[in-house]
Amino acid sequence: EPIVSREVWQAVQDKIQEAREYNPTVHRMVKPSCFSGKIICGECGDTFKRRIHSCTDHKYIAWCCNTHIKDKDRCHMLLIRDDALKQSFTTMLNKLIFSHRQILKPYLESLKTSSSDDSLHRIQQIQTLLAQNTEKRETLTMLMTQGIIDPVLYSQETNELLSQADSFRDEIEALKNEVSGDVNKVTETTALIHFAEKSAMLQEFDKDLFDRYVKRIIVHSRNDIRFELKCGLTLRERK
């Protein structure tokens, strides 16, 4: 017979894990997992937490949705084993290595020729509109100074133009961020292609490769794991 119940044992394991995360002395002895903070529940959107589970003859590491741990009725997502995640990543990367010409290269070309050109063209249009907005405000100031329009109308028209100018600047900033994001995707995709061209098939999980290419993991079920890559692609692994 066990000395303590399974629930008590698991509660102790959770406390040990919390100590590893928050105690500087313990933290130096135990390296955090590369999965920490990167696994997202496809049902509720919460992050997953690392836990130690026990079978009849062995223990294993698993990842569980934080919401599910607190309240099973709020999220029904089941745990997923650490080794299953690692195997899924290895399989996904091997598929990319094998078929990068069919997947990554067309994707790279589409990045280079799609939204960035449209965004840059729109930025130029808005900059023209912004210049016209400035000219209108200058004209209003001149007319008010000459007494052609009254101060009340001047203030009303000027405020509308200033509000419009702020909207133009916000749109330009958003478009610049979009262009910057596309440039980053091109850089990340190019790096992934160079890796795939030179790499042999992986025989085991590689933490450094996971850190280098994966932004996060979205778990929809034990049989549906999606890897959101830094290059912008989301690739699904099914079992």
Side-chain angles (χ1 to χ4, degrees):
E1 290 292 324
I3 298 174
V4 297
S5 67
R6 183 181 296 275
E7 290 75 16
V8 172
W9 183 86
Q10 184 60 61
V12 172
Q13 299 305 311
D14 290 344
K15 289 295 182 182
I16 292 173
Q17 181 62 28
E18 290 177 5
R20 289 173 176 170
E21 293 174 357
Y22 298 112
N23 187 308
T25 302
V26 178
H27 186 73
R28 283 196 294 270
M29 296 187 298
V30 181
K31 292 183 179 180
S33 169
C34 61
F35 295 144
S36 297
K38 290 186 176 182
I39 309 176
I40 308 299
C41 178
E43 179 177 336
C44 71
D46 204 350
T47 55
F48 275 45
K49 180 177 183 179
R50 183 179 183 271
R51 304 184 79 180
I52 307 296
H53 282 255
S54 178
C55 290
T56 304
D57 57 351
H58 69 281
K59 299 175 184 178
Y60 62 91
I61 300 170
W63 293 86
C64 309
C65 171
N66 274 301
T67 298
H68 178 81
I69 293 172
K70 296 171 186 174
D71 186 349
K72 294 182 173 119
D73 292 329
R74 289 175 56 201
C75 180
H76 304 90
M77 184 64 65
L78 300 176
L79 66 83
I80 184 165
R81 292 177 62 121
D82 185 84
D83 53 6
L85 281 174
K86 291 176 177 177
Q87 181 58 53
S88 293
F89 169 75
T90 304
T91 301
M92 181 274 297
L93 205 55
N94 278 336
K95 288 179 180 178
L96 275 184
I97 292 171
F98 179 77
S99 58
H100 64 274
R101 291 183 180 87
Q102 292 75 32
I103 298 175
L104 294 178
K105 290 193 174 181
Y107 175 65
L108 178 60
E109 291 306 313
S110 69
L111 285 175
K112 290 179 177 179
T113 59
S114 60
S115 59
S116 292
D117 291 340
D118 294 338
S119 297
L120 291 172
H121 180 64
R122 178 58 181 162
I123 288 173
Q124 291 174 344
Q125 289 179 326
I126 298 173
Q127 286 174 335
T128 300
L129 294 173
L130 196 55
Q132 293 172 353
N133 180 286
T134 302
E135 290 176 2
K136 290 178 182 179
R137 285 187 281 119
E138 291 173 348
T139 300
L140 281 172
T141 300
M142 181 186 68
L143 293 174
M144 198 272 291
T145 303
Q146 294 176 354
I148 299 175
I149 60 174
D150 64 82
V152 175
L153 180 59
Y154 166 79
S155 178
Q156 179 182 343
E157 294 290 333
T158 299
N159 287 336
E160 289 180 2
L161 288 169
L162 287 172
S163 177
Q164 184 185 58
D166 287 340
S167 297
F168 286 152
R169 293 189 186 96
D170 289 343
E171 187 175 355
I172 287 175
E173 189 63 28
L175 288 167
K176 285 182 177 179
N177 289 335
E178 182 179 311
V179 171
S180 176
D182 287 343
V183 170
N184 184 62
K185 289 178 182 178
V186 168
T187 301
E188 291 292 338
T189 305
T190 302
L192 189 51
I193 289 173
H194 288 166
F195 160 76
E197 288 176 337
K198 298 177 181 179
S199 177
M201 291 291 177
L202 304 180
Q203 301 303 314
E204 59 184 14
F205 176 76
D206 190 314
K207 174 186 177 299
D208 292 336
L209 293 178
F210 178 86
D211 289 337
R212 174 64 184 86
Y213 297 115
V214 178
K215 182 179 179 181
R216 63 179 186 169
I217 302 171
I218 304 172
V219 177
H220 288 265
S221 73
R222 289 176 177 172
N223 300 319
D224 186 350
I225 302 168
R226 305 180 190 187
F227 294 91
E228 188 175 307
L229 305 184
K230 294 178 182 179
C231 69
L233 285 173
T234 297
L235 302 178
R236 175 190 294 180
E237 273 303 308
R238 287 187 175 272
K239 291 189 178 293

